[in-house]
Amino acid sequence: MAALKCNSLSLRGPALQFARPTSPDNYKRNAKWRSPQAAVIPNFHLPMRSLEVKNRTSTDDIKALRLITAIKTPYLPDGRFDLEAYDDLVNMQIVKGAEGIIVGGTTGEGQLMSWDEHIMLIGHTVNCFGGSIKVIGNTGSNSTREAIHATEQGFAVGMHGALHINPYYGKTSKEGMVSHFESVLSMGPSIIYNVPSRTGQDIPPRVIHTIAQSAYLAGVKECVGNDRVKQYTDNGIVVWSGNDDECHDSRWSYGATGVISVTSNLVPGLMRELMFGGKNPSLNAKLMPLMEWLFLEPNPIGLNTALAQLGVVRPVFRLPYVPLPLAKRVEFVNLVKEIGRENFVGEKDVQVLDDDDFILIGRY
């Protein structure tokens, strides 16, 4: 008991002192009140980045990429990542000449991942393939705080570049967009992604021209159309087409550097030819029905269905995505035959698949 008394805190002694409130008489009653500064606090956060050069990539290296695939994320029957199938998909991209991949983008269903899953997949991709292909992590968010945290982590695990979306759903002002992007650009090479059909808000050229002063802005993935592409390229800003059905003309008639593609998940060799081989309207026309089929429903529904039919991923869907209906799956089989099975990824015969073959996962 004596020991307890010795170590106890006495509230009666002088050890505990409380400051007395300042008397109102001490305030200067006639002092002019000043409003708190309504501005963004200067960024006192130092970027959490490494200067090691093993996987370090310059912004110019990202600017030079012509074929970037927005890679699909495949799943096991319980909804976890199927890393074996994922590795095969990435290897096929490397073999067929893709120069970069977007990890956890819209196509890769980053919107259905926890951040732990997301950063793990970026790190896994860099660890396994970072010496053969540029790894661009989709670490953007409509929350600036989350975008900062995820981008720091992405670069810490070795990604070569980041993909950033403008704040969606809640939206913000043009000045808010600039502040959002400037908060993450200092961390490493970055691509800004403009897709108003998903975000509900266009990133106007004024915002892009403002942030273009950053040495880390690699360019813009632009989905508004080729007139916007030309507006940027005429001013020296690098652009990748975000629309597969427009990418041929974007590349060869409007000055785009290349494409960030969904279709290249299926036919990477043909998409490389489309981006590297000069104007080729006949190849573009040959691929157009496939591109249109892929976007009958919101991406990545068509792609997920197609890769399952090709036998390169399990027919597992994380909800709310569900496969295309039977009639559309039959159409895909015919498209594969018209374009040539040898041009598609994988080696198995394309199948229609029954509705019962698909597994839909709501909890994972």
Side-chain angles (χ1 to χ4, degrees):
M1 183 65 71
L4 290 175
K5 286 182 178 178
C6 280
N7 291 315
S8 64
L9 176 65
S10 172
L11 298 181
R12 296 180 181 178
L16 219 57
Q17 299 290 332
F18 295 96
R20 294 182 180 180
T22 305
S23 168
D25 293 336
N26 294 335
Y27 289 112
K28 296 181 179 179
R29 296 173 181 265
N30 297 325
K32 185 176 181 181
W33 181 81
R34 292 184 179 182
S35 171
Q37 184 180 7
V40 176
I41 297 174
N43 190 3
F44 58 88
H45 257 358
L46 292 175
M48 189 181 74
R49 63 189 182 199
S50 168
L51 296 179
E52 292 297 325
V53 297
K54 179 181 178 183
N55 285 312
R56 204 70 180 165
T57 297
S58 72
T59 306
D60 286 341
D61 289 336
I62 301 298
K63 288 181 176 182
L65 303 178
R66 284 160 286 185
L67 176 58
I68 304 172
T69 297
I71 198 74
K72 150 75 176 169
T73 306
Y75 305 114
L76 296 167
D78 62 2
R80 291 175 300 138
F81 294 162
D82 185 346
L83 291 179
E84 291 183 359
Y86 176 82
D87 292 349
D88 285 342
L89 291 176
V90 177
N91 266 314
M92 286 185 274
Q93 293 298 315
I94 293 169
V95 169
K96 293 296 184 179
E99 298 173 301
I101 51 175
I102 304 289
V103 178
T106 308
T107 304
E109 300 178 24
Q111 62 274 15
L112 303 186
M113 297 177 188
S114 69
W115 278 116
D116 283 346
E117 288 180 310
H118 208 138
I119 300 301
M120 179 275 282
L121 191 61
I122 293 171
H124 169 80
T125 309
V126 171
N127 184 49
C128 295
F129 307 105
S132 302
I133 196 167
K134 297 302 180 188
V135 178
I136 301 165
N138 172 32
T139 55
S141 173
N142 60 345
S143 160
T144 304
R145 177 183 63 84
E146 286 192 12
I148 291 171
H149 184 63
T151 304
E152 284 181 336
Q153 290 190 326
F155 279 116
V157 300
M159 71 182 185
H160 304 113
L163 181 72
H164 284 291
I165 196 78
N166 53 305
Y168 49 88
Y169 185 67
K171 306 181 184 179
T172 187
S173 63
K174 295 177 181 64
E175 292 75 18
M177 287 187 200
V178 171
S179 294
H180 176 81
F181 291 134
E182 287 181 343
S183 295
V184 292
L185 276 171
S186 63
M187 298 176 196
S190 300
I191 297 171
I192 303 301
Y193 181 17
N194 187 32
V195 56
S197 62
R198 289 190 182 272
T199 64
Q201 187 176 32
D202 180 35
I203 303 175
R206 177 160 70 88
V207 170
I208 298 299
H209 287 300
T210 299
I211 63 175
Q213 300 170 29
S214 169
Y216 287 117
L217 179 68
V220 182
K221 177 185 178 184
E222 184 57 73
C223 297
V224 165
N226 284 332
D227 288 341
R228 179 72 64 83
V229 170
K230 190 173 189 301
Q231 185 176 353
Y232 288 142
T233 57
D234 283 350
N235 285 279
I237 295 173
V238 170
V239 180
W240 293 269
S241 174
N243 300 323
D244 282 349
D245 60 346
E246 296 180 346
C247 71
H248 173 269
D249 292 346
S250 294
R251 172 84 170 101
W252 302 112
S253 300
Y254 293 89
T257 293
V259 64
I260 297 178
S261 176
V262 176
T263 307
S264 56
N265 278 276
L266 300 176
V267 286
L270 295 182
M271 288 302 296
R272 179 181 170 87
E273 186 177 345
L274 204 63
M275 290 296 100
F276 283 76
K279 283 190 176 183
N280 194 337
S282 61
L283 176 58
N284 191 49
K286 181 179 180 179
L287 290 173
M288 196 60 64
L290 174 62
M291 295 172 179
E292 292 172 351
W293 182 92
L294 277 170
F295 294 93
L296 289 169
E297 296 289 353
N299 180 54
I301 292 171
L303 176 64
N304 292 353
T305 305
L307 288 171
Q309 289 185 249
L310 290 168
V312 293
V313 304
R314 290 180 169 88
V316 179
F317 282 64
R318 282 186 175 183
L319 290 170
Y321 299 123
V322 297
L324 288 175
L326 179 62
K328 298 303 177 184
R329 301 200 297 269
V330 172
E331 285 183 18
F332 179 69
V333 171
N334 293 329
L335 284 170
V336 172
K337 292 177 179 177
E338 291 171 10
I339 296 171
R341 177 63 183 90
E342 68 279 4
N343 293 308
F344 286 78
V345 294
E347 298 177 352
K348 297 179 181 178
D349 291 336
V350 61
Q351 300 179 50
V352 173
L353 297 180
D354 296 325
D355 289 343
D356 292 341
D357 291 328
F358 292 95
I359 300 171
L360 309 182
I361 305 291
R363 292 186 177 185
Y364 42 85

